[in-house]
Amino acid sequence: MNSNPNTFPLRPLLVGIAAIALTTLVFDRARAGGGNFYPPVSDPVVVEECGGCHMAFPAALLPARSWQAMMADLGNHFGEDASLDADTNARITRYLTDNAGDRGGQRYAGKLFRGLSASQAPLRITELPKWVKEHRELTPREWAAPEVKTKANCVACHRDAERGFFEDD
Ligand code: HEC
Ligand code: HEC
């Protein structure tokens, strides 16, 4: 067996290199195509409460004012009652606004809010002018496909959406 003591530091070094390579890969992918990585929700309470009926949408996909408006009217959430107790609501509102696309998540949102005036607080990502523009080539038939059903079903077309990647695939 190789008993040369000089080979001992090799293993940690290799592990270090592998870790760097993986990180670079993830960031390269995130940047590929320009701004289509939106960090997945990292707060387990938000995942739990906002990921049951649909994917827990990344906070950077909407501006803070939209999250505020949505969280203030959860009893009337797209035809569903999604209301929460006051503490949970406050915690989720804080997470979503802190990481919103015009706050902490700004560097990820890129041009996503282009065409949106400061007075508009859309409740749907799928109504952002930039989102509509990015999806303009999809046909009514594609939207109506049984595996898609609704525009909000990002995962149907963006297979890596749960991991934050929304590329054309
Ligand atoms: C009881 C089920 C339910 C829960 C819980 C729920 N939602 Fe929703 N949500 C819906 C439905 C239904 C829609 C409309 C989906 C559609 O148009 O297909 C929706 C739509 C949305 C949209 C708009 C998607 C689009 O079209 O761009 C956002 C953003 C959203 N929800 C965020 C949240 C957040 C944040 C929470 C947690 C506080 C949450 N939801 C919890 C049912 C729920
Ligand atoms: C029916 C399939 C479909 C659904 C559902 C869908 N998308 Fe897309 N999305 C696409 C396609 C296809 C493109 C690429 C358009 C192009 O490159 O011309 C795209 C592009 C994008 C882009 C721009 C990516 C880039 O390369 O710059 C983003 C961001 C995005 N989608 C987010 C979302 C989000 C968020 C949802 C859910 C709220 C969603 N999409 C739902 C098909 C879909």
Side-chain angles (χ1 to χ4, degrees), residues 6-132:
N6 289 333
T7 61
F8 272 104
L10 197 59
R11 202 183 137 79
L13 186 67
L14 283 176
V15 170
I17 289 169
I20 291 165
L22 185 68
T23 314
T24 313
L25 195 75
V26 169
F27 282 106
D28 278 354
R29 238 191 120 186
R31 281 199 223 100
N36 46 32
F37 175 69
Y38 300 86
V41 170
S42 60
D43 181 329
V45 174
V46 184
V47 174
E48 169 82 22
E49 303 295 348
C50 305
C53 302
H54 45 64
M55 77 172 282
F57 298 109
L61 286 170
L62 284 175
R65 58 187 185 276
S66 291
W67 292 124
Q68 265 149 1
M70 182 179 298
M71 293 303 294
D73 194 17
L74 278 186
N76 179 23
H77 183 75
F78 305 94
E80 299 277 341
D81 183 354
S83 30
L84 298 163
D85 66 77
D87 285 351
T88 311
N89 187 308
R91 174 182 174 143
I92 294 176
T93 304
R94 198 177 324 118
Y95 174 86
L96 291 171
T97 53
D98 281 355
N99 295 284
D102 57 346
R103 301 242 180 117
Q106 195 152 29
R107 68 199 162 114
Y108 300 106
K111 297 169 186 157
L112 188 63
F113 307 142
R114 182 171 279 183
L116 196 68
S117 77
S119 62
Q120 289 173 295
L123 298 183
R124 284 189 183 271
I125 301 152
T126 54
E127 282 175 0
L128 295 169
K130 175 77 175 161
W131 190 96
V132 174

Side-chain angles (χ1 to χ4, degrees), residues 36 38 131 134-135 138 143 151 153-154 157-158 166 168:
N36 46 32
Y38 300 86
W131 190 96
E134 291 283 358
H135 295 83
L138 288 147
W143 288 124
K151 292 181 180 177
N153 188 11
C154 322
C157 306
H158 301 283
F166 294 84
D168 182 3

